[in-house]
Amino acid sequence: MNINIDGYDINYKITTPKGRPRTAVILQGWGTDLTMYDSMAAAISDKYKVIQLDLPGFGASDEPSEAWSVDEYCDFFCKFMKELKVRKAALIGHSYGGRMIIKMAAREKLPFDISKIVLVDSAGIMPERSAAVDFKVKRYKVMKRFLTSDLIHSLFPEVIDYWLSKQGSEDYKKASPVMKAALVKAVNEDLKDIMPDVKQETLLVWGTEDMDTPLSDAHTMEELMPNAALVEFEGAGHYSFLEQPVLFRSILRSFLEADKKPARKKKGGEDQ
């Protein structure tokens, strides 16, 4: 399905079971499309109305006209929720999607209520850089400034463009210029200071071998968020929900269903 918000064509889908289910929304990781989270949706779609979307610049959705900050992505998501008339939902976020959820949960006002949060191998903590890494970054900036100057670039354009294409993470290499700038904005923002403001009950799911958002990030989040609990998936990486789907399904369902009140008993033992 598609919906137009602020002139952007947004790809999304909704899976709805029978009855009057509660709502869960899945927010994707950087550079993915919504189909990557179909197994996550299937784990709870018998109980929950599950909404998946491609954020602007992701999957089949239009790219933003300029490089958005995380807050601008959050503002856009709030408009998406309002358009779909979602007033309350559990939010499940992987990687960049988790970063967005942290930002929104820490806000004083939202146009919808967050019932519960699930952060899967979430971004949000800026790693501390060693002296060696700092030197490497500074050297790269100096080299880039020199090589991209008009004179030097005109002499060796193909060689220099090839060198530039090999710099940075895989997500960065694959991104368009606009999305590269948006990614830079995201990774240079540390959310530790606002994590104590995330009051909702929060489940942290992490692969112990995650190299993109290391397990130490999860321990920091668990410490800073007042109602967070961590579950570690031994041997899994950054896509722990795909690597151990059976375990993920069980834990996700248990967490989301935990607050349901048991049926009261009538006299004689009948449920009411």
Side-chain angles (χ1 to χ4, degrees), residues 7 23 53 62-63 71 76 96 164 267:
T23 300
L53 77 152
D62 288 345
E63 185 175 284
D71 276 311
F76 185 89
Y96 185 84
L164 289 170
K267 291 181 180 179

Side-chain angles (χ1 to χ4, degrees), residues 15-243:
T15 308
T16 307
K18 295 179 180 179
R20 300 179 62 186
R22 289 187 269 186
T23 300
V25 185
I26 299 173
L27 284 165
Q28 69 204 122
W30 189 271
T32 66
D33 65 76
L34 61 79
T35 60
M36 181 170 285
Y37 303 91
D38 284 350
S39 63
M40 187 182 288
I44 56 173
S45 59
D46 61 326
K47 300 284 187 181
Y48 277 77
K49 173 183 176 181
V50 183
I51 301 172
Q52 299 164 254
L53 77 152
D54 282 329
L55 295 164
F58 295 60
S61 291
D62 288 345
E63 185 175 284
S65 58
E66 58 185 11
W68 284 1
S69 66
V70 180
D71 276 311
E72 287 171 308
Y73 269 104
C74 292
D75 292 342
F76 185 89
F77 178 72
C78 288
K79 292 178 182 179
F80 174 82
M81 295 288 273
K82 187 175 181 180
E83 194 71 25
L84 266 58
K85 297 180 172 59
V86 178
R87 297 181 179 178
K88 185 176 183 179
L91 298 184
I92 307 168
H94 171 243
S95 195
Y96 185 84
R99 183 189 291 274
M100 287 178 60
I101 292 172
I102 293 167
K103 293 280 283 189
M104 288 187 288
R107 289 184 175 185
E108 290 186 6
K109 291 184 180 180
L110 283 175
F112 62 93
D113 291 329
I114 302 174
S115 56
K116 283 190 172 185
I117 293 172
V118 182
L119 302 178
V120 185
D121 301 297
S122 176
I125 293 177
M126 190 163 62
E128 295 183 6
R129 297 200 308 212
S130 64
V133 171
D134 275 335
F135 174 75
K136 185 177 180 181
V137 170
K138 289 177 182 177
R139 183 179 61 182
Y140 165 74
K141 288 180 178 179
V142 170
M143 286 288 293
K144 182 180 178 182
R145 190 159 50 244
F146 171 71
L147 293 174
T148 55
S149 65
D150 291 341
L151 175 60
I152 302 300
H153 188 268
S154 66
L155 295 174
F156 313 100
E158 293 182 2
V159 174
I160 291 170
D161 289 344
Y162 177 79
W163 179 81
L164 289 170
S165 72
K166 295 301 180 181
Q167 307 307 307
S169 67
E170 287 303 314
D171 285 339
Y172 185 81
K173 293 174 191 175
K174 294 175 183 177
S176 69
V178 166
M179 297 307 289
K180 276 185 171 74
L183 180 57
V184 170
K185 286 184 178 183
V187 299
N188 285 321
E189 185 176 14
D190 196 337
L191 306 186
K192 289 199 293 290
D193 288 347
I194 65 171
M195 287 179 185
D197 297 326
V198 179
K199 307 297 185 185
Q200 295 86 349
E201 190 176 356
T202 301
L203 174 66
L204 306 170
V205 179
W206 235 269
T208 60
E209 302 305 314
D210 189 340
M211 302 301 289
D212 296 297
T213 54
L215 186 60
S216 58
D217 290 1
H219 292 152
T220 299
M221 290 185 188
E222 185 180 28
E223 180 181 348
L224 293 176
M225 296 179 187
N227 294 303
L230 171 63
V231 176
E232 299 178 13
F233 283 17
E234 191 65 36
H238 191 56
Y239 292 86
S240 58
F241 67 99
L242 291 176
E243 295 177 54

